[in-house]
Amino acid sequence: MFYSRFIHFRHFKHAIDVLRGKYDDPNAPGQISAYKALSTALASTVGIGNLSGVATAIALGGPGALFWMWVTAIIGMSTNFFTSTLASLYRGKDSNGEVQGGPMYVIREAMGKRWQPWAVMFCLCCMVGALPIYQANQLTQAIYDIGLGAMPLAGLSPGTWKVLIGVVLCAIASAVIVGGIQRIGNWAGRLVPVMIVLHFASVMIILVAYADQVPRYLAMIFEDAFAAHHYHGQPFLGGMLGGIIMLGVRRATFSNEAGIGTAPMAMGAAKSSAPVQEGMASMLSPVIDTIVSCTLTALAILVTDVWQTSKSSGITLTAEAYAKAMPLGGHYVLLLCTLVFGISALFSYSYYGRKALAFLIGERYGASYDYFYLTMIVVGAVASMETVLYLIDIAFALMAVPTMITGMVLAPKVMAEARRYFENVIYKQKR
């Protein structure tokens, strides 16, 4: 961030113009537009974690945890700018001759043979980290608890209902996933605006109802970021500044995935002959995901006071906030948000695992990951797999190692490209 002298922040408006399609070139190499590429990235990042993860952060660390999520998102804008610019700058071709991008292609095209084990490590970890077990599990739980909780269940056991829900989710996902990045991008482009507007509108209803509490909690977010308090009897996370910072950083990183390597994989498929444009579009992802979406969820939980009156955590705490603010149907509004968030994430995560497998053994066999992925949706819907989820989290986190190392090593290349690009843009604007 400091090395770039905030160059991408200074050109924030330009990033908006790129996203709007002002600089789209339909004849440029790639498969989808910058908007659809960012929508694919957002479809995975703006997921159920935005409804449940931020609730966990506040339940354990209080309002101050949100401040450190903001800080992490601002830094994440920089990491996304560098890594996504590299993904477009050093694109390679898969076994079918199709242009592709991502940390593994950056390593192969720019780092030399001795770095290739890092590319293999990234792909192996990505295939595990991108599995839909968490998303399918949380989505199924929300449908069962909220959607079916008040309905007669026809004598079927909870396990049977979850299998049925998992099969339906699998069928819905298969209709999109098997179509590849073009179909995923098309659906993501439609769903992302819907889920952002739906989330924004529902939280605005809550904030209007509790308007007198908003200034108080906005101030508390900043005050508690540097204060020691106890929340829900958690003296480590709630009582130590380091614990609050750690919690905020973890939740933000796993929410917006900046520096993990998923955004560069999506942006690397965008049609573009100007790599900096993909970096500019990608840097908007942490803004939309964390600074906008996570903040909305956090404010809904804070102003309704459920974070202090309830012992719940995760999406259950968010559901209690919606129910308190909207006694008639609040649960169902949240369920609708959860459905859109969860299904969009199921669509996009498959692309990452498929792309990783195709890099290792060829595009011809990459499609086999789709069928494994779809099977894991049903498994995730019915299983309580805490150990496996820890494994997925670790694999996902390990993806950041090669992504960030290559980003730092090749940072001068990004800055040289950025200087050339912006000098050209400014020259054209003056003319």
Side-chain angles (χ1 to χ4, degrees), residues 298-369:
L299 287 175
I301 292 168
L302 291 173
V303 299
T304 54
D305 276 337
V306 294
W307 67 284
Q308 294 190 95
T309 59
S310 172
K311 294 296 181 181
S312 301
S313 184
I315 200 164
T316 304
L317 185 63
T318 309
E320 290 178 6
Y322 271 72
K324 183 175 180 180
M326 295 178 278
L328 299 175
H331 277 88
Y332 295 104
V333 173
L334 179 63
L335 177 60
L336 183 58
C337 290
T338 304
L339 284 171
V340 179
F341 279 40
I343 290 174
S344 66
L346 290 180
F347 289 169
S348 57
Y349 270 121
S350 66
Y351 173 66
Y352 302 137
R354 174 178 180 165
K355 195 167 181 175
L357 182 61
F359 179 86
L360 293 176
I361 62 175
E363 187 64 33
R364 178 182 176 186
Y365 302 101
S368 61
Y369 184 85

Side-chain angles (χ1 to χ4, degrees), residues 94-148:
D94 60 25
S95 57
N96 288 344
E98 193 77 56
V99 173
Q100 300 283 359
M104 61 281 207
Y105 287 98
V106 173
I107 293 170
R108 190 180 75 181
E109 302 296 323
M111 304 291 287
K113 288 186 178 181
R114 65 191 183 96
W115 288 83
Q116 294 310 299
W118 289 100
V120 174
M121 169 191 160
F122 176 87
C123 289
L124 292 174
C125 290
C126 180
M127 289 164 57
V128 177
L131 289 175
I133 293 177
Y134 174 78
Q135 290 80 10
N137 184 275
Q138 291 294 291
L139 184 53
T140 300
Q141 194 66 45
I143 293 172
Y144 181 81
D145 289 346
I146 301 173
L148 301 178

Side-chain angles (χ1 to χ4, degrees), residues 95-304:
S95 57
N96 288 344
E98 193 77 56
V99 173
Q100 300 283 359
M104 61 281 207
Y105 287 98
V106 173
I107 293 170
R108 190 180 75 181
E109 302 296 323
M111 304 291 287
K113 288 186 178 181
R114 65 191 183 96
W115 288 83
Q116 294 310 299
W118 289 100
V120 174
M121 169 191 160
F122 176 87
C123 289
L124 292 174
C125 290
C126 180
M127 289 164 57
V128 177
L131 289 175
I133 293 177
Y134 174 78
Q135 290 80 10
N137 184 275
Q138 291 294 291
L139 184 53
T140 300
Q141 194 66 45
I143 293 172
Y144 181 81
D145 289 346
I146 301 173
L148 301 178
M151 296 171 57
L153 300 184
L156 298 178
S157 68
T160 303
W161 272 109
K162 290 180 179 180
V163 169
L164 294 175
I165 294 170
V167 170
V168 171
L169 293 176
C170 178
I172 294 171
S174 65
V176 174
I177 288 171
V178 177
I181 185 59
Q182 287 88 357
R183 193 177 297 174
I184 293 172
N186 288 337
W187 274 97
R190 297 186 185 105
L191 282 175
V192 166
V194 171
M195 65 187 188
I196 296 296
V197 171
L198 179 63
H199 191 206
F200 182 84
S202 63
V203 173
M204 283 300 106
I205 294 172
I206 297 175
L207 296 186
V208 169
Y210 290 85
D212 59 321
Q213 297 293 322
V214 174
R216 172 193 169 200
Y217 278 114
L218 285 174
M220 191 180 292
I221 289 168
F222 291 94
E223 293 168 2
D224 276 24
F226 303 95
H229 293 291
H230 291 249
Y231 296 110
H232 288 197
Q234 299 289 335
F236 175 66
L237 291 180
M240 295 177 63
L241 177 59
I244 298 174
I245 295 174
M246 178 186 72
L247 184 64
V249 171
R250 282 175 59 188
R251 295 270 44 101
T253 300
F254 282 96
S255 177
N256 60 49
E257 299 174 16
I260 300 296
T262 52
M265 294 172 76
M267 300 310 297
K271 290 183 178 181
S272 176
S273 54
V276 172
Q277 290 182 3
E278 305 320 307
M280 295 297 291
S282 182
M283 82 170 192
L284 296 174
S285 178
V287 177
I288 298 170
D289 174 88
T290 304
I291 296 179
V292 176
S293 182
C294 286
T295 300
L296 288 173
T297 301
L299 287 175
I301 292 168
L302 291 173
V303 299
T304 54

Side-chain angles (χ1 to χ4, degrees), residues 375-394:
T375 302
M376 295 307 293
I377 291 177
V378 181
V379 172
V382 299
S384 177
M385 307 176 71
E386 189 171 336
T387 303
V388 176
L389 289 177
Y390 282 134
L391 176 64
I392 291 174
D393 281 346
I394 292 169

